[in-house]
Amino acid sequence: MSDIATLVPEPADTELAVSALRGLDAALSAEGPVRLRLTGQVGEVEVPRSALAALAQVLDSFAHGEGVTVVPAQAELTTQQAADALHVSRPFLIGLLDAGQIEYRTVGTHRRVKAASLIRYLREDDARRQRAADALAAETRELGFA
């Protein structure tokens, strides 16, 4: 399996994902090991609860007709892959790299971004946005507009 996998649901997958998600929600709330029963000759497999939670996230995206990209945290991305993951242009990403907002390393003349650095940036950016929204809401209340 390659480092990066992009999964896009077929139209028929959406309904199946909704159904499967209901079953996984019940399994995630239970205690103890998680066993999945597979059709055919395979039988049952035991999976880590964290892997089942990740599968539930994939199924939730599929249920909404959205594709997902699975990237191991230690994977190194090209600048184009990193820009695609952030839904920004490559020049904008280069600006973030040059400003030191996202860690990267240079391989020859090429930049490589660790997926973990990208995830860290996304979390920090979300936190900044949340603080700004909270401050704006507080100011709106203080001014009596809400």
Side-chain angles (χ1 to χ4, degrees):
M1 186 173 196
S2 70
D3 276 356
I4 300 171
T6 299
L7 312 168
V8 181
E10 298 290 327
D13 294 339
T14 302
E15 289 180 35
L16 187 57
V18 170
S19 174
L21 193 54
R22 281 190 217 109
L24 284 185
D25 283 343
L28 283 170
S29 63
E31 293 293 323
V34 178
R35 292 188 177 275
L36 299 177
R37 188 175 322 138
L38 306 173
T39 59
Q41 301 292 335
V42 179
E44 288 188 354
V45 294
E46 191 170 318
V47 297
R49 192 166 298 281
S50 57
L52 193 63
L55 177 59
Q57 289 181 328
V58 170
L59 288 171
D60 185 57
S61 292
F62 274 29
H64 290 93
E66 302 167 350
V68 297
T69 300
V70 179
V71 181
Q74 295 307 312
E76 289 191 328
L77 309 175
T78 66
T79 52
Q80 187 61 58
Q81 289 170 322
D84 291 346
L86 291 178
H87 303 291
V88 298
S89 68
R90 188 177 164 278
F92 183 82
L93 174 79
I94 298 298
L96 293 174
L97 298 178
D98 290 343
Q101 293 189 21
I102 300 175
E103 296 174 34
Y104 70 95
R105 72 181 185 107
T106 316
V107 178
T109 58
H110 301 282
R111 294 177 178 105
R112 294 292 181 259
V113 180
K114 279 204 172 181
S117 296
L118 209 57
I119 292 165
R120 186 172 26 262
Y121 169 78
L122 284 171
R123 288 183 179 152
E124 290 169 358
D125 189 51
D126 284 347
R128 277 191 299 272
R129 290 172 192 258
Q130 187 62 51
R131 285 191 302 273
D134 290 346
L136 185 58
E139 188 173 334
T140 300
R141 283 190 301 275
E142 286 174 16
L143 293 172
F145 292 126

